[in-house]
Amino acid sequence: MPIRSFCGVLMKKQQKVDKRLLENMLVAYDASMEMQRSYVNRFALAAEKLSGLIDEEERTIIENERYLGAINARFDESGKEQESERNIGFTYHQIERIVNNPQLLRGDFVAAVYDKFDDQLVLIRDQLGARPLYYFETTSFIAFSTEIASLTKIDSFEIDEMYLSDCITATRSESFRTYYKNIRKLEPAERLYYNTHIKKSRYWHLVSTPDSTVGYHGDEVKVFFQFLQNAVLKRMSSLDSVGSELSGGLDSSGISSLLYMACQDAGVPFHAFSHGLPESFHNTLFPYKDERKFSMEVCDYLGTDEHSIITGEGSGVLNSLSNDIFIQSGPSQGSYHMLSDQLLKSVKDMDIRYLFSGHGGDEGITAKNSGLYQELIAEAEWADLRNFILHNNNTASLRKNLKYILLKVFPVSRRWLLNEPGISNKIVNKRLENFAVSSFYKDPNLLKDRTKKLRMGQNGSSMKENMLMRLSSSAFSQRLEFSYHTARYFNIEYLYPLLDLDLIEFYYQLPRQFKTRPGEDRYIYREVLKGKVPESIRTRKDKFGNTLPSLQLRIIEDHNSIEKLIKRSQEKNRYHYLDYARMLEWQSKIENRRNLRQPVYPVGFLNSLQILLLQEMEREGTFRSGIRW
């Protein structure tokens, strides 16, 4: 397996380690996985043994005279990738560096290391949160795991009603929160120390990184390309075959092109995978559309016919939602990862273990110019402001731009509006009307406070500030976490070149003219792709946001099953989180959507279906989650 799982427990001081706790945790793991175990003092650890990938005498668990631990990692060292299964023989100084200076590490990683000398546990998560790590504290011990399911085997857990409420109102919970009340996630760039109590700190901040553009004046485009190319090369080093998610948009097309060229040089097989719609559904599912012509154009340009288009036809959504509950050990928020299950299955069937993705571009190096107008106003760059505004002759864009300016110049803000009782209640109630929250469940204060928080949003005062907000948002880390577990289920590892730290740090420091110009958003990324993707793709500005066009199709295909689930829930559930009549109405709106102005929140609908499925599983005893049914 390309991903290494681990779990462990540290008892309170003076308590002997309880081996039964560790064995109970291992019940949650696949029976085919061989887990190595180690015990020392009050600490117990188990980690997945990678049979066939390492010599029998080598150990998955790392240990020396001072440290005992497990690391799930893909480290970037000296511009080269070391695969997770090759990171076995850590030296004393390497482990010390991981524990004491994780900010120096590059790559995707989580680590759990017990320091025998200081008698303390250290948990660490990578800077952007590509890999998840969970923990749970009691009066007797602290337990941790890369999988939530293993923690649920050692105690009974209450559900987190706040998380559940967020699910049915399409609100993203905080980065630390999980479905279970006492199980928490380590947040990105967070390090946790535990001796007798938990102490946490953030070890990395993008804003405090050194200026990586120093000395490159005049060569910014060339250097940016080198960072981008290295981001791909580091991740494909030593791989024997790779796949690439290709939507036909700018981000995925750029990554697929650079990856294909690297594969050609290295003699490594390459295959592209795209989401699409069956031909009989082209131009029939509003607002979703098949964009295969763009991904096919990229493949034709590169000269490869190794391209699969996955339509999701015949799969529906309910089975995928049910399966996802088991994969995520509870309901998830934002179900796009689940809708990639058919694509991931195709990748697995081709025996490809690593899938490159363009995810992260919108949050980082290829984001649009959010915060630009506030920045120009703050710097009194009136000529530039005028040029940017007048260049957008689209009425909707002009209206949006003027709104940003008015909110910045006049002493009126979204926060003030949402705190004014009459206005805020109207805004919140208007949003809640789009969902199907039951009057039996609705806690006005809880739901309104959470919805108000969502509607307030975050508007930074500059492009840099908005980039920081996007990369540190819970929505961003959640998608990485959910995608990690879904891909792992199919024995696949996602790789994200656009989330390369060296690349992000370089881009962050660039002057704004390299990021956006009037009529040329995503400027530097488009510049470096000249001659590497079709010109029509490189200059494309009509990318539609729905990269999973089968969303509506799969809901329509399960029409009868969804309707039966809603009616069964109304008849058999004892506790009602959702309004069933409104659920049926909501289903009809999604299936018969006719215009972009009609807000239907399909992801909120999928979240709500998960709650009904969870209640049914609890009622039938197929999944124990503690949810009221």
Side-chain angles (χ1 to χ4, degrees):
M1 249 188 187
I3 308 295
R4 179 184 303 133
S5 293
F6 61 78
C7 62
V9 60
L10 180 67
M11 308 300 293
K12 294 288 186 179
K13 285 230 174 190
Q14 311 305 320
Q15 291 191 38
K16 186 178 180 181
V17 65
D18 187 345
K19 295 184 179 182
R20 292 173 301 175
L21 287 173
L22 189 64
E23 295 304 317
N24 287 342
M25 293 168 75
L26 294 179
V27 170
Y29 288 91
D30 191 317
S32 65
M33 291 167 57
E34 186 179 348
M35 304 292 287
Q36 290 185 337
R37 299 161 176 78
S38 280
Y39 304 92
V40 58
N41 301 334
R42 56 192 181 108
F43 181 67
L45 177 69
E48 179 185 347
K49 181 174 171 58
L50 300 161
S51 301
L53 293 175
I54 59 175
D55 297 332
E56 287 300 313
E57 62 269 18
E58 292 186 297
R59 295 173 56 78
T60 298
I61 292 174
I62 56 175
E63 184 171 14
N64 56 38
E65 67 275 15
R66 178 166 184 172
Y67 298 110
L68 171 66
I71 300 174
N72 174 342
R74 182 200 58 77
F75 287 133
D76 301 332
E77 297 288 355
S78 301
K80 295 182 180 179
E81 184 203 13
Q82 299 174 9
E83 293 180 67
S84 55
E85 58 264 29
R86 307 302 179 203
N87 287 328
I88 305 299
F90 288 94
T91 66
Y92 176 94
H93 293 295
Q94 285 174 324
I95 301 172
E96 193 169 44
R97 182 187 183 197
I98 290 168
V99 171
N100 297 322
N101 298 292
Q103 71 275 9
L104 301 178
L105 302 176
R106 290 292 190 262
D108 310 326
F109 58 91
V110 285
V113 179
Y114 175 61
D115 187 330
K116 302 173 191 175
F117 291 0
D118 292 339
D119 193 22
Q120 74 175 356
L121 171 68
V122 183
L123 303 179
I124 306 166
R125 188 175 179 194
D126 66 77
Q127 290 91 332
L128 296 176
R131 304 192 181 189
L133 185 60
Y134 309 91
Y135 64 94
F136 158 61
E137 183 187 19
T138 72
T139 55
S140 302
F141 59 85
I142 183 173
F144 58 89
S145 178
T146 54
E147 318 292 328
I148 290 182
S150 65
L151 295 178
T152 65
K153 301 299 181 183
I154 58 176
D155 207 334
S156 57
F157 290 92
E158 295 179 50
I159 63 172
D160 187 331
E161 290 283 345
M162 187 72 80
Y163 185 95
L164 202 62
S165 170
D166 291 342
C167 284
I168 60 180
T169 56
T171 304
R172 294 301 184 110
S173 296
E174 298 88 343
S175 299
F176 66 83
R177 196 182 297 275
T178 75
Y179 172 68
Y180 299 96
K181 201 168 190 178
N182 297 318
I183 297 177
R184 290 289 180 255
K185 284 180 292 190
L186 206 63
E187 296 187 63
E190 195 168 60
R191 174 172 44 188
L192 180 152
Y193 291 100
Y194 188 90
N195 190 296
T196 57
H197 63 279
I198 289 175
K199 180 182 178 182
K200 295 190 294 183
S201 63
R202 186 174 176 85
Y203 64 81
W204 176 87
H205 296 269
L206 177 58
V207 71
S208 62
T209 57
D211 187 342
S212 53
T213 65
V214 173
Y216 295 127
H217 182 66
D219 291 323
E220 286 86 353
V221 174
K222 180 181 177 181
V223 174
F224 179 81
F225 174 69
Q226 290 172 348
F227 275 117
L228 180 62
Q229 188 177 47
N230 285 339
V232 172
L233 293 175
K234 284 185 289 191
R235 285 159 179 76
M236 72 159 290
S237 176
S238 303
L239 304 187
D240 52 12
S241 65
V242 296
S244 182
E245 281 187 329
L246 174 59
S247 69
L250 190 64
D251 293 349
S252 66
S253 297
I255 292 303
S256 295
S257 174
L258 293 175
L259 179 62
Y260 176 76
M261 289 186 283
C263 287
Q264 289 290 98
D265 292 341
V268 173
F270 166 92
H271 200 100
F273 298 86
S274 302
H275 290 283
L277 286 171
E279 289 190 17
S280 58
F281 284 90
H282 286 196
N283 303 316
T284 64
L285 300 177
F286 189 86
Y288 304 95
K289 59 183 180 181
D290 184 276
E291 293 198 323
R292 70 178 66 194
K293 67 177 182 179
F294 299 109
S295 58
M296 291 174 68
E297 187 177 352
V298 173
C299 288
D300 288 343
Y301 183 86
L302 296 176
T304 177
D305 57 2
E306 298 297 321
H307 183 206
S308 298
I309 297 174
I310 291 83
T311 64
E313 188 176 12
S315 56
V317 295
L318 287 184
N319 285 338
S320 296
L321 281 170
S322 298
N323 197 39
D324 194 59
I325 287 173
F326 284 101
I327 291 172
Q328 309 294 341
S329 300
S332 54
Q333 298 173 354
S335 303
Y336 289 122
H337 65 279
M338 177 275 297
L339 293 169
S340 290
D341 58 347
Q342 296 302 308
L343 185 147
L344 292 171
K345 183 179 183 301
S346 297
V347 176
K348 180 183 179 182
D349 289 344
M350 291 189 181
D351 200 28
I352 294 173
R353 292 168 51 203
Y354 297 91
L355 184 63
F356 280 69
S357 170
H359 176 58
D362 285 345
E363 290 77 16
I365 69 160
T366 67
K368 292 189 176 180
N369 58 356
S370 174
L372 172 66
Y373 303 109
Q374 295 94 318
E375 186 174 317
L376 292 173
I377 292 169
E379 297 176 4
E381 297 283 356
W382 307 117
D384 284 349
L385 179 63
R386 178 179 178 277
N387 289 335
F388 274 103
I389 292 175
L390 293 182
H391 187 85
N392 291 319
N393 52 18
N394 178 281
T395 304
S397 296
L398 183 59
R399 188 188 308 118
K400 183 179 180 181
N401 296 340
L402 290 173
K403 174 186 170 185
Y404 279 134
I405 295 170
L406 289 171
L407 287 175
K408 182 68 181 178
V409 174
F410 292 97
V412 177
S413 69
R414 182 181 292 185
R415 185 171 296 277
W416 178 85
L417 288 171
L418 286 172
N419 281 318
E420 200 285 318
I423 298 176
S424 69
N425 288 336
K426 183 177 179 180
I427 292 173
V428 170
N429 289 332
K430 181 71 175 175
R431 175 175 166 79
L432 290 177
E433 286 174 8
N434 295 303
F435 300 97
V437 185
S438 167
S439 58
F440 295 104
Y441 173 64
K442 190 181 295 182
D443 177 338
N445 293 324
L446 177 68
L447 291 175
K448 287 184 178 181
D449 285 349
R450 299 296 277 183
T451 304
K452 186 186 295 184
K453 174 187 172 185
L454 176 70
R455 292 297 292 172
M456 278 183 185
Q458 291 181 311
N459 286 308
S461 60
S462 67
M463 295 176 70
K464 280 187 174 182
E465 191 173 332
N466 277 344
M467 180 177 171
L468 286 172
M469 289 176 177
R470 289 190 300 269
L471 289 173
S472 60
S473 72
S474 61
F476 176 64
S477 60
Q478 271 192 358
R479 180 168 172 182
L480 290 174
E481 292 151 10
F482 295 143
S483 296
Y484 169 92
H485 288 300
T486 304
R488 190 193 187 289
Y489 175 79
F490 290 97
N491 196 24
I492 294 165
E493 180 175 351
Y494 267 116
L495 297 173
Y496 306 106
L498 297 184
L499 294 182
D500 185 83
L501 280 190
D502 294 332
L503 178 65
I504 285 176
E505 289 175 352
F506 181 80
Y507 178 85
Y508 179 79
Q509 302 288 358
L510 285 173
R512 63 171 172 266
Q513 62 264 30
F514 290 101
K515 301 173 183 178
T516 186
R517 300 183 182 189
E520 295 180 280
D521 66 311
R522 309 180 181 195
Y523 174 76
I524 196 168
Y525 189 67
R526 293 186 193 272
E527 280 293 297
V528 301
L529 292 184
K530 284 181 177 177
K532 298 174 181 62
V533 298
E535 193 65 9
S536 58
I537 300 295
R538 191 187 72 84
T539 59
R540 187 183 176 197
K541 297 179 182 178
D542 65 338
K543 179 71 172 72
F544 196 69
N546 298 292
T547 57
L548 295 170
S550 62
L551 168 61
Q552 190 178 15
L553 169 64
R554 293 178 71 174
I555 290 175
I556 290 172
E557 286 195 337
D558 261 0
H559 173 85
N560 292 336
S561 297
I562 291 172
E563 198 173 76
K564 288 177 182 177
L565 171 65
I566 294 170
K567 291 178 178 177
R568 259 195 330 268
S569 300
Q570 183 174 17
E571 178 186 341
K572 296 185 177 182
N573 283 349
R574 299 173 183 173
Y575 189 85
H576 307 290
Y577 295 96
L578 297 159
D579 183 313
Y580 306 106
R582 290 181 65 187
M583 282 290 291
L584 292 170
E585 204 177 295
W586 197 357
Q587 179 185 6
S588 178
K589 283 183 180 179
I590 292 172
E591 294 176 354
N592 300 288
R593 188 175 179 185
R594 289 291 176 267
N595 63 73
L596 285 170
R597 291 182 177 275
Q598 180 187 10
V600 294
Y601 300 100
V603 171
F605 182 71
L606 294 182
N607 287 353
S608 298
L609 286 180
Q610 281 190 98
I611 303 306
L612 297 184
L613 285 168
L614 202 63
Q615 288 181 281
E616 185 161 85
M617 291 175 178
E618 187 77 25
R619 188 171 66 240
E620 296 175 352
T622 56
F623 184 83
R624 293 300 183 192
S625 67
I627 194 171
R628 290 178 284 183
W629 62 268

